[in-house]
Amino acid sequence: MSKSSTQSIPDYSAVPRHLAIIMDGNGRWATRRMLPRTAGHIRGMQAVRRAVEACGKAGVQYLTLFAFSSENWRRPQEEVSLLMRLFVQTLEKEVGKLSRQGVRLRVIGDLSAFEPRLQELIRQAEESTQHNTALHLTIAANYGGRWDILQATRRLLAEHPELASAPEQLDEDMLTPYLSMAFAPEPDLFVRTGGEQRISNFLIWQLAYTELYFTDSYWPDFDADALTHAFEWYAGRERRFGRTSAQLAGR
Ligand code: IPE
Ligand code: IPE
Ligand code: MG
């Protein structure tokens, strides 16, 4: 397991090892073109393919995409159904190709809310790509950062009931193995398209020291050049993790 940014200073390089994206703006992209919002989601899928390819080429090792939040069930039922259908179709069509590219696919979130067929496709996709190592692609679906912290706490307490009467023994290192992203280092770079500057209940624990990049581009327009721009911005950040600039410069 990788080191926590609050427990020790993590290693990092000019290219983010872990990129986390809130793919926002599909609906507005479509509305601007007088198209139904669903058209935006379909175009958004093409942007996902581009991002996976560009990240693979750039040397990103972990790409985590927010596809459906635990709050997105509040949307009109037709839109939710379309998103679920798109998820099924994408898994059916794309997993073989992703696997040939060396992509290991994982889906995080409360999957119990999905219909059995979708749950089964997710299980198969995870299993058939489990030995791939070129890129760890994680899709957050029915995911919420608060849900994640709660499910981790529940599982930890179920396995260690003695902690309930000795809470002072509970520390970060005990909890993090139960979080959904335990297999990955914390994100180095967070990108949110679509102009909003908020986290919307994404990886709230893991983003503690992540560099946050916001762009007005709608997700369907976010191409390889836009990604390069985000990487350039990231490369220019001074990641201090609590230290001073002088310390970083060795002064
Ligand atoms: C993001 O785009 C995709 C999902 C949340 C599934 P939106 O659908 O939120 O697009 P906007 O924000 O309404 O434009
Ligand atoms: C966040 O986008 C979730 C995903 C991109 C899947 P939303 O568009 O749902 O976020 P809010 O509601 O505007 O904060
Ligand atoms: Mg949105």
Side-chain angles (χ1 to χ4, degrees):
M1 223 184 46
S2 36
K3 283 188 202 150
S4 146
S5 57
T6 47
Q7 304 294 89
S8 61
I9 296 159
D11 295 332
Y12 59 92
S13 52
V15 174
R17 185 150 61 125
H18 183 174
L19 168 64
I21 307 182
I22 296 189
M23 311 182 288
D24 197 17
N26 289 351
R28 281 164 289 160
W29 180 92
T31 305
R32 276 249 178 117
R33 287 164 177 76
M34 318 256 264
L35 295 167
R37 290 176 56 85
T38 50
H41 294 314
I42 291 165
R43 283 298 282 256
M45 273 313 307
Q46 296 171 13
V48 170
R49 259 180 240 126
R50 281 203 307 258
V52 170
E53 242 163 68
C55 283
K57 277 192 194 139
V60 170
Q61 293 169 37
Y62 297 85
L63 174 62
T64 305
L65 303 175
F66 205 4
F68 191 86
S69 75
S70 43
E71 290 69 43
N72 285 145
W73 298 105
R74 296 169 180 163
R75 294 191 176 198
Q77 215 237 302
E78 315 83 72
E79 181 164 343
V80 171
S81 305
L82 179 281
L83 285 167
M84 294 299 146
R85 273 207 305 282
L86 211 55
F87 201 1
V88 167
Q89 282 170 13
T90 307
L91 285 170
E92 285 173 340
K93 269 200 348 219
E94 305 282 336
V95 172
K97 193 158 86 195
L98 286 173
S99 192
R100 286 190 291 283
Q101 292 170 352
V103 174
R104 175 164 185 179
L105 187 76
R106 292 181 180 86
V107 181
I108 57 164
D110 182 2
L111 306 186
S112 67
F114 295 137
E115 59 165 72
R117 167 153 176 68
L118 181 50
Q119 291 186 40
E120 178 55 19
L121 280 170
I122 291 169
R123 198 196 58 73
Q124 285 171 6
E126 290 186 335
E127 193 181 282
S128 69
T129 62
Q130 65 182 326
H131 300 299
N132 294 340
T133 54
L135 177 70
H136 295 260
L137 173 62
T138 304
I139 307 295
N142 193 23
Y143 179 86
R146 291 187 184 178
W147 164 84
D148 198 1
I149 294 167
L150 278 171
Q151 68 78 26
T153 311
R154 287 185 192 128
R155 287 200 295 138
L156 170 67
L157 283 175
E159 284 181 30
H160 297 279
E162 70 281 3
L163 279 175
S165 53
E168 69 285 353
Q169 284 176 15
L170 176 60
D171 62 17
E172 256 195 48
D173 287 342
M174 292 180 85
L175 187 66
T176 44
Y178 294 90
L179 290 167
S180 304
M181 293 298 297
F183 60 89
E186 291 170 32
D188 299 293
L189 174 63
F190 160 97
V191 169
R192 181 170 188 149
T193 60
E196 311 298 350
Q197 303 200 355
R198 54 181 175 247
I199 303 292
S200 299
N201 198 15
F202 194 22
L203 302 163
I204 48 182
W205 176 286
Q206 296 84 350
L207 293 175
Y209 270 106
T210 303
E211 299 296 329
L212 307 179
Y213 178 86
F214 299 95
T215 168
D216 288 336
S217 294
Y218 294 139
W219 175 249
D221 292 328
F222 195 78
D223 58 13
D225 285 347
L227 195 65
T228 303
H229 197 264
F231 288 168
E232 283 167 4
W233 176 87
Y234 170 78
R237 308 309 301 164
E238 183 177 73
R239 304 191 72 190
R240 292 193 286 274
F241 298 101
R243 296 163 297 171
T244 66
S245 293
Q247 280 177 295
L248 286 179
R251 280 180 268 134

